[in-house]
Amino acid sequence: MKSLEKTLKSVSENPKYIFRLTIQGVMVGIFAGLMVCLYRFLLAGSEHVLRDYLSIINGNIIYIVLFFIALAIMGLLVDFLTKWEADSAGSGIPQIYAEVKGHMEANWTKVLISKIVSGVLTALGGLSLGPEGPSVQIGGMAGKGIAKLFKGSKTDELRLILVGSAVGITAAFNAPLAGVIFVFEEINHGFDKTLVFIALVSAIVSDFISKIIFGQHTILNFPVLNIPLESYWMLVVLGIIIGILGYVYNIGMIKSSDFVGKLKIPSWLKFVLVFVVSGVVALLIPEISDGGHFMMDMLGVAIPSLGVLVLLLVLKYLFSMFSFSSGAPGGIFLPILVLGAYIGAIFGSIVVPAFGWQHELIYKFIIISMAGFFASTVRSPITGIVLLAEMSGSTESLVAMVIVSLIAYVVPTLLGNEPIYESLYDRLLLKKNREFVKKPSKHVLSEYIVPLDCNYVNFKIKDIPFPKNAIVVSVIRNGKYVIPDEDFNIKYSDQIHVLTDVNDYPYVRQEIEKLFGG
C-alpha cells in the first residue's frame, strides 16, 4: 500500500514531491556528470597514449611485438569484463532502452565499473567505437544509483535513469538541450512534464561540471558561411544522397553484427582477434583508428583532397562495422557523426569549386551532413539538428539542416529500414533470451500521449482494450488532472497515466504503445 501511495503522488503536482525530485535531479546531474566526465577524460588520455606510442614504435620490432602482446591481453580483459557484466557489452543505448521498457534489470554498480574500464581498453586498442553510447548508459546507471539511494518508487527510478541518460549526451558533447531532446525523441518516446523539468535541471548541472573540466569552447570550431538561396535545391540532392548512405550504413552494421554473432568461436578468441586487427590498422592506417576525433581534427586543420576523403570515408565505415560487430563496449554515435562530416566534405569539395564559392563553404556542408546522417541512421532528426547547433555554437545552419535532415530521414524510412538503435534493441532482447524472474511487487506509473491518428480518439475508457492488469488512474487534459471513470472519453493529446505492477510492466507498455501507435 505504501508503494502505491508513493507512486500516486507522481500524478499530482505535489510541491514537496516536485522539490524532492528536483534535489534528486541535481544529485543525478552531479554524480552522472562526474562519471561521464571521468570516462571522457580517460578516453581522451587513452587515445593520446595510443597515438604517442604509435609514433615511437614504427620500425622497432621489439616495440611492435610488445604492442601486439598488450593488445591480446586487452582483448582478454574485455572478454572477462563483458562476461562479468553482460549488460556492459555493445553501445549502451539499447540497454537503457530495454531497461526503461522493463525488459532488463541491470546491476548499476557493475555496469559502471565494467563500462568505464572496458571502454578505456577499447580506446587504448584503437577500435573505431565512440564514447557517447557508453556515456548514455553510464549516465543512466548513475541515475539508477541515485534512485536506489532515495528508495523511491519504481516510476521515479525509471525517470532518473532517463535523466541520467540525458546527462550522458550533455557531458559528452557539452550539449544540454540535445541531451534532453534525445531522451524524449529516441528513448522515452513520450512527453512527461515532470521528466522534462528534472532532465533540464540535471543537464544544466552536468553541463556546468563538464565546462569546468573541459572548458567552454564548442566541440566544432568551423567557419560558417551561407549557401546562396538560389542554390538551396542542392540540399535536396544532398539529403537524398545521405538518406541512401544512411540506409547502407544501417544494413551493413546489422548484417555484420548478425554474421559475427553466428560464428562458432570462443568469445575470448574473438576479442583477441579484434584487438590484434585493430593494432594492424593503427600501424598501417592510423587516421581511422579510435572513435573519430583524429579524423575530425584533420578536417579542422585542412580539407584533404577528394580522393583521400573518399578513401578515409570507406575505410572508416568498414573499420567501424568491424569494430562494432565484435560486441566490444563502445558506441556508434561519434563514428556516425564523423562519417556524416566526411560525406559533407566530399559533397562540398565537388560543388564548391563547381560554383566558384569560397573554399570555407565546405565546412557548412560538413555541419549540415553530420545532422543529416544522424537523422538517416538514428532517425532522430530534432536531436541531430539541436546537437549540431550546440556543437558548432551557431544557429545559422538551422534551415539547411532541417531540409537535409528531413529528406535524409524520409529516404531510408521509405526503403523500409529500421532506425539503427531500434534494430540493435530488438537483437539485444533476442540475444538475451532471458528467463523471466519475478521481481518484488512494485507499482510503475507510465505515461502515454494520445496521438492525432489514434484509433481510439473519442472512445470511452471502458471501450478501449487496455491490458487487464493495467489501471488508468489519471488523465492530464489542457494542463489539468482528471480522475476518469469508465465512461470518460479519450481525446487527442490527452496524457494518460497507467498504473501496473513491475512484473507486468514490459507487457503492458508494449500493448499500450500498440494501442496508441507508440
Side-chain angles (χ1 to χ4, degrees):
M1 189 64 184
K2 288 183 179 179
S3 175
L4 177 60
E5 289 173 358
K6 281 184 180 180
T7 303
L8 288 176
K9 282 182 181 179
S10 63
V11 301
S12 62
E13 295 182 338
N14 185 327
K16 291 183 179 179
Y17 174 77
I18 297 299
F19 177 75
R20 182 164 61 86
L21 270 186
T22 302
I23 297 300
Q24 293 178 20
V26 171
M27 292 184 67
V28 171
I30 295 172
F31 182 42
L34 288 173
M35 288 295 98
V36 175
C37 286
L38 171 64
Y39 183 62
R40 179 177 169 184
F41 175 78
L42 291 174
L43 288 189
S46 300
E47 291 181 3
H48 283 303
V49 168
L50 175 63
R51 298 286 171 186
D52 291 343
Y53 193 74
L54 289 175
S55 66
I56 65 173
I57 68 173
N58 190 26
N60 189 313
I61 299 299
I62 295 177
Y63 285 173
I64 292 176
V65 171
L66 291 175
F67 177 55
F68 281 101
I69 291 174
L71 288 171
I73 293 172
M74 285 189 278
L76 293 173
L77 288 173
V78 169
D79 178 61
F80 168 77
L81 288 167
T82 52
K83 286 178 179 175
W84 178 65
E85 179 46 64
D87 293 331
S88 66
S91 164
I93 292 177
Q95 285 86 341
I96 289 293
Y97 193 50
E99 177 121 10
V100 172
K101 292 277 190 179
H103 295 289
M104 281 177 56
E105 187 68 43
N107 184 317
W108 69 272
T109 52
K110 290 178 68 176
V111 169
L112 281 180
I113 295 170
S114 178
K115 201 74 174 185
I116 292 174
V117 175
S118 58
V120 170
L121 291 172
T122 58
L124 277 172
L127 275 69
S128 183
L129 297 170
E132 290 74 23
S135 295
V136 170
Q137 190 178 19
I138 290 169
M141 291 299 98
K144 185 173 184 176
I146 296 297
K148 296 293 186 184
L149 177 67
F150 279 85
K151 299 179 181 179
S153 67
K154 185 65 178 178
T155 304
D156 289 347
E157 180 181 309
L158 294 176
R159 278 175 171 163
L160 293 185
I161 289 173
L162 288 167
V163 166
S165 302
V167 169
I169 296 294
T170 298
F173 285 113
N174 290 355
L177 287 179
V180 174
I181 292 171
F182 179 77
V183 164
F184 290 98
E185 190 177 24
E186 179 58 30
I187 300 178
N188 192 51
H189 295 168
F191 185 86
D192 179 335
K193 285 197 303 182
T194 304
L195 179 58
V196 172
F197 176 72
I198 305 303
L200 283 171
V201 169
S202 296
I204 294 302
V205 171
S206 63
D207 185 55
F208 185 74
I209 292 172
S210 177
K211 283 182 167 64
I212 289 176
I213 297 174
F214 299 105
Q216 299 188 54
H217 58 277
T218 55
I219 302 295
L220 301 177
N221 295 296
F222 297 153
V224 180
L225 303 179
N226 289 321
I227 301 171
L229 289 176
E230 64 271 14
S231 301
Y232 260 48
W233 59 268
M234 70 174 55
L235 296 178
V236 177
V237 177
L238 178 59
I240 293 172
I241 293 172
I242 290 176
I244 294 172
L245 292 177
Y247 172 84
V248 172
Y249 175 90
N250 283 4
I251 293 295
M253 295 296 281
I254 296 302
K255 293 290 187 184
S256 62
S257 296
D258 290 346
F259 173 76
V260 173
K262 294 176 181 177
L263 294 177
K264 302 298 183 182
I265 60 174
S267 61
W268 67 267
L269 179 59
K270 176 186 67 174
F271 282 119
V272 168
L273 290 174
V274 167
F275 272 78
V276 169
V277 171
S278 179
V280 174
V281 170
L283 287 172
L284 299 179
I285 324 167
E287 293 84 358
I288 66 172
S289 284
D290 70 49
H293 291 110
F294 188 82
M295 286 180 65
M296 288 300 300
D297 290 342
M298 286 178 60
L299 295 179
V301 174
I303 303 295
S305 66
L306 183 60
V308 171
L309 288 171
V310 173
L311 179 63
L312 288 177
L313 174 68
V314 173
L315 292 178
K316 184 64 176 177
Y317 169 57
L318 294 175
F319 188 44
S320 297
M321 187 167 59
F322 171 79
S323 298
F324 186 76
S325 64
S326 70
I332 57 176
F333 213 105
L334 178 60
I336 284 174
L337 294 178
V338 172
L339 292 174
Y342 272 70
I343 293 170
I346 292 169
F347 187 83
S349 295
I350 295 173
V351 302
V352 167
F355 285 85
W357 293 332
Q358 294 183 57
H359 180 75
E360 288 75 14
L361 195 56
I362 294 176
Y363 290 105
K364 179 87 166 187
F365 290 106
I366 289 174
I367 293 173
I368 294 169
S369 298
M370 290 172 75
F373 198 62
F374 187 86
S376 69
T377 54
V378 180
R379 232 59 59 80
S380 297
I382 300 175
T383 299
I385 292 167
V386 174
L387 176 63
L388 266 298
E390 291 187 286
M391 287 177 66
S392 63
S394 171
T395 59
E396 294 182 19
S397 303
L398 278 178
V399 174
M401 283 195 290
V402 169
I403 293 171
V404 172
S405 295
L406 291 180
I407 296 172
Y409 175 94
V410 168
V411 170
T413 302
L414 292 177
L415 293 173
N417 178 243
E418 282 190 337
I420 185 65
Y421 286 125
E422 289 190 17
S423 297
L424 295 174
Y425 165 71
D426 292 339
R427 280 158 177 77
L428 174 66
L429 296 186
L430 187 64
K431 181 180 178 182
K432 292 287 182 185
N433 193 25
R434 296 179 172 181
E435 293 184 6
F436 180 76
V437 178
K438 191 171 179 62
K439 307 167 189 172
S441 183
K442 286 186 179 181
H443 295 97
V444 180
L445 186 76
S446 49
E447 183 176 283
Y448 308 89
I449 296 180
V450 180
L452 185 61
D453 59 349
C454 177
N455 294 328
Y456 297 99
V457 171
N458 295 323
F459 274 56
K460 294 178 180 179
I461 286 180
K462 66 181 181 182
D463 296 328
I464 301 175
F466 286 105
K468 60 184 179 180
N469 44 358
I471 304 172
V472 177
V473 294
S474 71
V475 175
I476 300 179
R477 180 176 292 171
N478 300 324
K480 296 181 179 180
Y481 281 91
V482 179
I483 306 300
D485 57 22
E486 62 178 11
D487 292 319
F488 183 84
N489 279 29
I490 296 299
K491 302 291 186 181
Y492 159 64
S493 80
D494 280 351
Q495 293 170 243
I496 300 175
H497 295 109
V498 177
L499 195 68
T500 187
D501 187 85
V502 66
N503 293 293
D504 299 320
Y505 175 63
Y507 164 76
V508 167
R509 178 157 186 154
Q510 184 177 8
E511 291 302 306
I512 295 179
E513 285 182 346
K514 288 179 182 178
L515 292 178
F516 295 148

